[in-house]
Amino acid sequence: MRIQQLAYLEKIVEKGSINEASKELFLSQPSLSNAVKDLEAEMGIQILRRHQSGVSLTTEGREFMIYARQILDQVNLLEGKYKAGAPRKQAFSVSAQHYAFVVHAFVELIREVDAAEYQFTLRETETLNILADLTAFKSELGILYLNKFNRQVMEKLFKDSDLEFHPLFTASPHVFVSRDNPLIKQSSVSLEDLADYPYLSYEQGDGDSFYFSEEILSTLHRKRQIKVSDRATIFNLMVGLRGYTISSGIISSELNDDKIVAIPLNVDDPIQLGWLKHRQLELSPLGERYLALLKNHIQGYGFAIEK
């Protein structure tokens, strides 16, 4: 086994395609494919699953990549200390449901990075994509919520995917509305108060199950429903159509303007926010630092961090 083979494999996994990886590595596709096949033959396992849309890691391949990345990181440390040339880029990625506090902590982390080059990725994405990103090691951390409705289904998925969930904090349900919405005159709102307003929620793609919804009470009938894919659009629709969505109640004043207000919702359905990681993966220093920033930000809004 050669270090170069591991570097080739890492690039293929990053791109999800031997063809795309070969372009960045300036190698022919057959040469790169043969390098991986030689590695698989030497290790006695199938590392990559090949399909029409590209490649993905097998179960054994995911475990192999954990050790391969540790080796590559150690090589990078050696080269950075003893070999002239540019060090390996600092890299970190997180996949999450659509929460402003996730973005805020991500911004703070990047501001702290003292490096000429880095590669950071924040994926605000569908719930099932978070699990897929973690199992494929595209992201180091995932952030989502559990409640009494989805907990049993989600915890089974975590177990099946070899993921572990760590609680961050528990929040009471709130609705987000624009400042010109008549509901802001109330100290709290009921579901009946919301009946005539457009309900805004995040779409979940092919996995559009009630259990994967980012909003609690997803099974309730609404007269007017609008699905969106990003936070900017959902905020625009709150302002333009006086729509509402249901969330934890945390709004980042540094990242959003003052047009959105959080109002307590009169339902007994606590929302537990938490972070996910693969059981076989040890958090990197950047991952640990991101979690610390995330917790500090959450505590700044008056929430206690759960053990």
Side-chain angles (χ1 to χ4, degrees), residues 9 15 45 75 113 128 141 151 170 186 188 244 246 261 270:
L9 181 61
K15 293 298 179 182
I45 61 172
V75 170
V113 172
L128 278 182
L141 292 175
R151 183 178 297 273
T170 298
Q186 303 178 199
S188 63
Y244 75 93
I246 302 175
V261 177

Side-chain angles (χ1 to χ4, degrees), residues 87 103 125 148 219 241 279:
V103 182
T125 187
K148 59 188 178 184
T219 60
L241 297 177
R279 290 185 186 278

Side-chain angles (χ1 to χ4, degrees), residues 169-174 216 247-250 269-273 303 306:
F169 69 102
T170 298
S172 299
H174 285 66
I216 64 170
S247 190
S248 65
I250 295 182
D269 195 353
I271 304 169
Q272 185 181 55
L273 279 296
F303 292 96
E306 299 176 13

